[in-house]
Amino acid sequence: MRFAGTRPTRSWLTAIPASNEMRVGIIGAGQLGQMLGLAARTLGVECCFLDPGEAPPAADCGPVIHAAFDDAAALAELASNADVVTYEFENVPVDALRVLDGKVPVYPPPDALRHAQDRLAEKRLFEHLDIPLPGYHVIDARTDLDAAADALGLPLVVKTRRLGYDGKGQFVVRERADIEPAWDALGGAALIAEQWVTFDYEVSAIGVRSVAGEILTYPLSRNVHRGGILHTSCAPVEAPELERSAASFIEGLLTHLDYVGVLALELFVCGDRLLANEFAPRVHNSGHWTIEGARTSQFENHLRAILQLPLGPTTAVGHAGMVNLIGTIPDAARSLAKGQLHDYGKTPRPGRKLGHITVIADSAADRDRLVAEIEQTVT
Ligand code: AMP
């Protein structure tokens, strides 16, 4: 779906740059950096990364400055090697990005990251933009948890406001007796309590906005999490009304933030309503299916947006399903009759995202059958 700006009259394919003079500095060299780096290669664009890891996944895609994400000298070095800087990792200090932004464009804008890093700022932004969200309560003291239970009812989920990901920094309070353990577990940090949502399913909406303000959205993907970690994503979701609502939320966020690049919004589906959970100002795991399943991947479109190239079409090419490989990549994943394996080259560790498999089918039913077969084979 498209909202603003004028589509270029020439084919987007012909707009691939003829030279490899453009250089992108990427903060973070994990699997998202790796997939950005692979997409950059097809555009003839060079990447340079900053990451504290010794041998991060994206090291195959360009030089890596090995340093902490808040190392001012290393960030300055990255900027001096790049025409534009982006990030694939959300825990980068916003102030460090603002300093860089004075030297080289930094996309997505640091202010988007500021909102995404703090669940309270994020929720206030959703409210400001009339994006529906679950009820919540700010928790500054132990007694606020009782007040939250009174106001929101039980169960509720207590979350750290900052530095949470993949369900980490969360505690579900099912009954009053859980309040004490929740406070003991998380009480040292700034917290928020959320109403427990009995959703039908979860979706994510991924959108991209160019410097010129053109906005495109990908078809919604339906996501299944296990233990707070994304397990599968399937797209498209055949629910046009939900698609329209989600696209209008994305348009509101991208426009308000004067955003450039890809943004992912995670939502709960409750009947015909959507409730926003959180947004990520970056390429997202629930959009990995776009590599094989969309006319232009989220990675290529993120680069196109930040490099001021025309955006590529976001339509689906068939019915895509993605299964994450977490903790281990079993041998069976390497010999599947159907399915594209992406092995990030990471050292196996419990709970670690090591790779994913994508299948493309002619129908949603075939896709769902293939995804179930792959899940059985690899888990
Ligand atoms: P988060 O880190 O906030 O994205 O949470 C990870 C996952 O936990 C979500 O994708 C949901 O599956 C679940 N979850 C988070 N918040 C809630 C909530 N308020 N109600 C129900 N499930 C939730």
Side-chain angles (χ1 to χ4, degrees):
M1 206 169 293
R2 181 170 143 247
F3 295 96
T6 314
R7 194 110 199 98
T9 47
R10 60 186 174 157
S11 156
W12 64 279
L13 275 172
T14 60
I16 289 175
S19 75
N20 63 357
E21 282 166 17
M22 282 188 283
R23 300 162 309 160
V24 178
I26 303 180
I27 302 174
Q31 67 267 21
L32 299 176
Q34 183 183 53
M35 287 180 260
L36 282 167
L38 292 171
R41 236 175 242 169
T42 67
L43 292 172
V45 169
E46 288 179 12
C47 291
C48 175
F49 301 87
L50 184 149
D51 195 287
E54 264 313 301
D60 292 348
C61 302
V64 181
I65 301 166
H66 296 281
F69 293 122
D70 59 355
D71 182 323
L75 285 162
E77 188 187 341
L78 183 78
S80 69
N81 281 301
D83 300 301
V84 57
V85 166
T86 189
Y87 47 92
E88 57 105 83
F89 176 79
E90 269 167 74
N91 293 330
V92 183
V94 171
D95 287 343
L97 287 188
R98 289 210 169 106
V99 170
L100 282 192
D101 208 14
K103 300 182 180 138
V104 67
V106 176
Y107 298 130
D111 197 47
L113 184 64
R114 181 179 68 78
H115 283 92
Q117 282 181 345
D118 180 350
R119 288 187 192 272
L120 181 58
E122 183 179 46
K123 287 179 189 306
R124 289 190 172 145
L125 177 64
F126 289 153
E127 287 171 326
H128 178 72
L129 295 172
D130 286 330
I131 298 174
L133 71 163
Y136 71 93
H137 205 90
V138 179
I139 307 295
D140 292 323
R142 155 78 179 72
T143 49
D144 291 330
L145 283 173
D146 293 299
D150 292 341
L152 303 172
L154 293 176
L156 49 80
V157 51
V158 185
K159 300 181 177 179
T160 53
R161 274 173 54 181
R162 304 178 70 83
L163 302 175
Y165 70 100
D166 285 347
K168 291 185 174 59
Q170 299 191 10
F171 199 108
V172 180
V173 173
R174 296 184 194 282
E175 50 190 21
R176 296 269 171 176
D178 295 335
I179 287 182
E180 204 60 49
W183 182 251
D184 289 346
L186 302 176
L191 302 175
I192 204 152
E194 268 175 39
Q195 204 166 37
W196 183 256
V197 181
T198 46
F199 51 78
D200 298 315
Y201 57 99
E202 291 180 83
V203 292
S204 53
I206 295 182
V208 57
R209 183 173 183 269
S210 69
V211 175
E214 183 189 10
I215 292 175
L216 296 175
T217 54
Y218 284 91
L220 282 184
S221 76
R222 178 175 178 146
N223 306 323
V224 175
H225 292 81
R226 282 192 186 164
I229 303 180
L230 184 68
H231 176 58
T232 59
S233 284
C234 290
V237 175
E238 272 139 15
E241 283 300 324
L242 295 181
E243 190 105 51
R244 268 192 285 279
S245 299
S248 75
F249 300 159
I250 285 277
E251 184 194 13
L253 278 167
L254 293 176
T255 307
H256 177 81
L257 294 167
D258 197 14
Y259 197 91
V260 177
V262 161
L263 177 146
L265 174 63
E266 295 185 75
L267 302 139
F268 301 123
V269 179
C270 305
D272 58 3
R273 290 189 72 215
L274 288 173
L275 295 177
N277 178 25
E278 61 182 8
F279 79 90
R282 56 170 170 79
V283 286
H284 196 257
N285 192 172
S286 65
H288 289 1
W289 66 270
T290 62
I291 296 175
E292 292 89 359
R295 286 189 57 206
T296 316
S297 78
Q298 62 165 345
F299 302 100
E300 179 172 336
N301 259 340
H302 183 72
L303 294 167
R304 286 180 165 276
I306 67 174
L307 289 165
Q308 307 201 34
L309 299 170
L311 300 180
T314 49
T315 39
V317 292
H319 297 261
M322 187 236 37
V323 180
N324 264 342
L325 298 168
I326 296 168
T328 176
I329 300 186
D331 289 343
R334 302 187 190 280
S335 52
L336 291 166
K338 283 198 176 151
Q340 176 66 54
L341 171 67
H342 296 253
D343 179 345
Y344 309 147
K346 289 159 83 172
T347 308
R349 201 191 309 139
R352 198 172 196 205
K353 289 177 183 167
L354 302 180
H356 71 268
I357 296 169
T358 305
V359 285
I360 308 295
D362 291 335
S363 70
D366 282 351
R367 184 263 324 277
D368 293 346
R369 187 178 45 73
L370 283 168
V371 166
E373 278 172 20
I374 291 171
E375 283 185 273
Q376 267 207 323
T377 310
V378 301
T379 48

